[in-house]
């Protein structure tokens, strides 16, 4: 491309896991690409179609067989393996055909996919002649750090079954055994990571294949939520957008914070019913959902499940976190909070209101906390966000020629 010449309009397609936390970080990038004159298509579970269309992108929808993956409170290794296997089969037999049917007549220049849609995303990029880009809503992986190893038991029988599914799928599309290793790695040649390098586990070991662009989220309109005017501290409590009913947990949190000192804001999960919690103390307000950035600038602490979206929002405002991870990589993120001096990890097993209250007070009394939070806030705020991600995607689309298979 000639220096100074206008950037040609491109088509970007996204094949992402059917979870709000995977889709939400990409929406700001999509808006930025659309504002620059590009086209964006999501191949997405039908529940997220309106969310995608609201940002101006095209939504190609299907019905996901995701089930309770990432939702079960404390899944066993067998349950995790079964959910992972079912998800792999779904991406191969449902997501991939939906993508090909929708995109074959108008192939994208770039296909973006994530950790859970690796097979569908990489093979779709090959078949369509597009540039593959892996997006990481959580910690990235490389030759020395494996997220997969933290989540899956390599000796579980379903791992071998999953490998056979992949071999058959790739073979159907002309990918031989000599190439399959490259298609099965946990990272790609180009990776967008939605957290700053400073929060990435073993972040100094990642090279320039990984662009740590930080979180991308929309700050709400002023006045959406206002803090109490009586000087009490504010605690925000959430288990994420899809947590479902965890009534006992939220009632415990209400008890942990003294009404004389604290005002507590709870977000219970989309489509939840605050009435199921029963009568709450007057110092607690409960919402099915409320954008966390509306509360975090006023919050003294955020109690959450350690989802990366929640952590990045909190750290973007310099709010310390008490994390109670459920499973999967969430425990790694909770530990990372402690490693960086910006939060505490707390087990949900045997949790009491007194223990939670003591952990919050210990965190807020940490003399090193303010400096650590300021440093991390700077790292989050200067990572580049949507504009940097769009710049990189334009560059990657321009530098890699289309393959001969491209229509």
């Amino acid at each position: 491309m000639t220096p100074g010449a206008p950037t040609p309009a491109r088509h970007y397609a996204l094949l992402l896991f059917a979870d709000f936390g995977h889709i939400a970080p990409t929406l700001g990038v999509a808006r930025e690409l659309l504002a620059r004159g590009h086209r964006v298509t999501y191949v997405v579970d039908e529940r997220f179609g309106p969310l995608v269309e609201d940002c101006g992108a095209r939504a190609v929808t299907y019905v996901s067989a995701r089930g309770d993956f990432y939702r079960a409170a404390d899944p066993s290794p067998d349950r995790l393996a079964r959910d992972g296997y079912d998800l792999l089969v779904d991406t191969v037999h449902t997501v991939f055909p939906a993508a090909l049917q929708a995109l074959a007549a108008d192939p994208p220049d770039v296909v973006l996919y994530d950790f859970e849609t690796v097979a569908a995303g990489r093979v779709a990029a090959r078949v369509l002649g597009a540039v593959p880009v892996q997006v990481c809503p959580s910690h990235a992986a490389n030759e020395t750090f494996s997220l997969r190893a933290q989540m899956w038991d390599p000796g579980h029988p379903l791992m071998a079954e999953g490998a056979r599914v992949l071999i058959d799928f790739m073979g159907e599309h002309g990918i031989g055994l000599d190439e399959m290793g490259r298609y099965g790695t946990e990272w790609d040649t180009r990776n967008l990571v939605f957290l700053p390098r400073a929060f990435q586990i073993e972040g100094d070991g990642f090279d320039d294949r990984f662009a740590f662009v930080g979180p991308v989220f929309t700050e709400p309109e002023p006045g959406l939520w206002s803090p109490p005017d009586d000087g009490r501290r504010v605690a925000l409590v959430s288990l994420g957008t899809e947590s479902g009913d965890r009534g006992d947990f939220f009632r415990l949190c209400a008890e942990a914070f003294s009404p004389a000192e604290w005002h507590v804001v709870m977000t219970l999960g989309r489509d939840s019913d605050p009435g199921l919690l029963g009568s709450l103390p007057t110092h607690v307000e409960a919402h099915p959902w409320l954008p966390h950035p509306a509360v975090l600038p006023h919050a003294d602490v955020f109690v959450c499940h350690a989802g990366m979206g929640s952590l990045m929002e909190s750290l973007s405002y310099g709010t310390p976190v008490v994390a109670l991870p459920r499973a999967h990589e969430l425990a790694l993120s909770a530990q990372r909070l402690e490693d960086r001096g910006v939060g505490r990890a707390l087990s949900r097993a045997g949790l009491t209101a007194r223990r939670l209250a003591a952990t919050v007070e210990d965190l807020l009394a940490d003399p090193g906390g303010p400096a650590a939070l300021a440093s991390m806030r700077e790292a989050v705020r200067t990572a580049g966000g949507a504009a940097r991600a769009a710049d990189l995607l334009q560059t990657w689309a321009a530098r890699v020629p289309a393959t001969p298979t491209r229509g």
Side-chain angles (χ1 to χ4, degrees):
M1 188 167 61
T2 304
T7 302
R10 303 280 188 178
H11 183 193
Y12 297 86
L14 297 92
L15 283 64
L16 304 174
F17 179 48
D19 181 87
F20 180 83
H22 285 237
I23 295 166
T26 69
L27 296 174
V29 180
R31 291 188 188 95
E32 181 70 21
L33 290 169
L34 290 163
R36 298 183 185 194
H38 302 295
R39 291 179 296 122
V40 179
T41 300
Y42 281 75
V43 181
V44 66
D45 177 80
E46 63 179 8
R47 293 179 301 121
F48 300 107
L51 189 68
V52 165
E53 291 172 342
D54 282 348
C55 87
R58 174 194 178 201
V60 173
T61 62
Y62 64 92
V63 179
S64 171
R66 166 189 165 176
D68 286 334
F69 190 66
Y70 275 160
R71 294 192 187 112
D74 294 295
S76 66
D78 282 345
R79 175 62 183 271
L80 181 58
R82 168 54 63 183
D83 286 348
Y85 175 79
D86 291 344
L87 176 63
L88 170 62
V89 172
D90 193 41
T91 61
V92 168
H93 294 303
T94 302
V95 180
F96 178 80
L100 249 58
Q101 182 178 0
L103 298 172
D106 181 18
D109 297 278
V110 177
V111 169
L112 297 93
Y113 64 91
D114 59 32
F115 180 71
E116 280 83 4
T117 55
V118 163
R122 290 181 183 171
V123 176
R126 176 187 174 107
V127 172
L128 296 168
V131 178
V133 175
Q134 183 161 328
V135 297
C136 305
S138 186
H139 300 283
N142 64 3
E143 290 86 350
T144 59
F145 172 74
S146 170
L147 191 60
R148 184 182 296 165
Q150 308 289 333
M151 295 178 64
W152 314 109
D153 174 7
H156 196 283
L158 282 174
M159 294 297 286
E161 289 190 37
R164 284 193 289 272
V165 170
L166 283 175
I167 290 171
D168 291 345
F169 174 58
M170 293 183 185
E172 291 171 4
H173 297 284
I175 301 170
L177 289 173
D178 57 330
E179 290 186 274
M180 286 185 186
R182 176 166 61 90
Y183 278 81
T185 58
E186 290 181 70
W187 60 92
D188 210 323
T189 305
R190 305 162 195 84
N191 305 271
L192 284 179
V193 191
F194 292 114
L195 56 149
R197 184 184 294 272
F199 198 76
Q200 166 71 40
I201 297 173
E202 300 180 16
D204 291 341
F206 286 77
D207 58 27
D208 59 7
R209 293 170 297 175
F210 300 84
F212 292 90
V213 300
V216 178
F217 61 88
T218 302
E219 302 203 24
E221 293 293 326
L224 183 61
W225 183 85
S226 299
D229 57 7
D230 55 12
R232 285 180 296 165
R233 293 184 289 180
V234 173
L236 176 62
V237 179
S238 177
L239 289 180
T241 57
E242 300 186 13
S243 64
D245 179 44
R246 300 284 189 270
D248 291 344
F249 170 80
F250 287 108
R251 283 188 287 270
L252 182 150
C253 289
E255 182 183 347
F257 292 96
S258 163
E261 300 178 22
W262 288 92
H263 180 82
V264 182
V265 182
M266 297 180 173
T267 63
L268 309 180
R270 296 182 189 276
D271 302 322
S272 62
D273 180 6
L276 295 176
L277 293 182
S279 178
L280 291 171
T282 57
H283 73 300
V284 177
E285 58 177 276
H287 305 263
W289 194 247
L290 181 69
H292 293 157
V295 181
L296 286 167
H298 313 284
D300 295 272
V301 69
F302 186 17
V303 178
C304 69
H305 64 307
M308 191 59 75
S310 294
L311 298 187
M312 289 297 103
E313 288 176 344
S314 195
L315 296 177
S316 178
Y317 292 99
T319 304
V321 181
V322 173
L324 298 103
R326 293 179 294 137
H328 315 307
E329 83 278 9
L330 303 180
L332 298 175
S333 296
Q335 182 58 50
R336 190 63 176 158
L337 290 169
E338 293 205 348
D339 294 342
R340 299 301 302 179
V342 293
R344 295 287 186 274
L346 192 58
S347 173
R348 297 256 290 274
L351 182 66
T352 64
R354 179 174 294 182
R355 186 177 176 212
L356 176 57
T359 301
V360 169
E361 293 304 326
D362 177 71
L363 172 62
L364 297 183
D366 182 355
L373 285 162
S375 176
M376 187 59 69
R377 175 176 182 170
E378 181 70 9
V380 171
R381 289 280 181 170
T382 60
R388 183 180 172 213
D391 288 344
L392 288 164
L393 288 169
Q394 289 181 161
T395 299
W396 291 336
R399 288 183 179 177
V400 180
T403 66
T405 60
R406 184 179 175 84

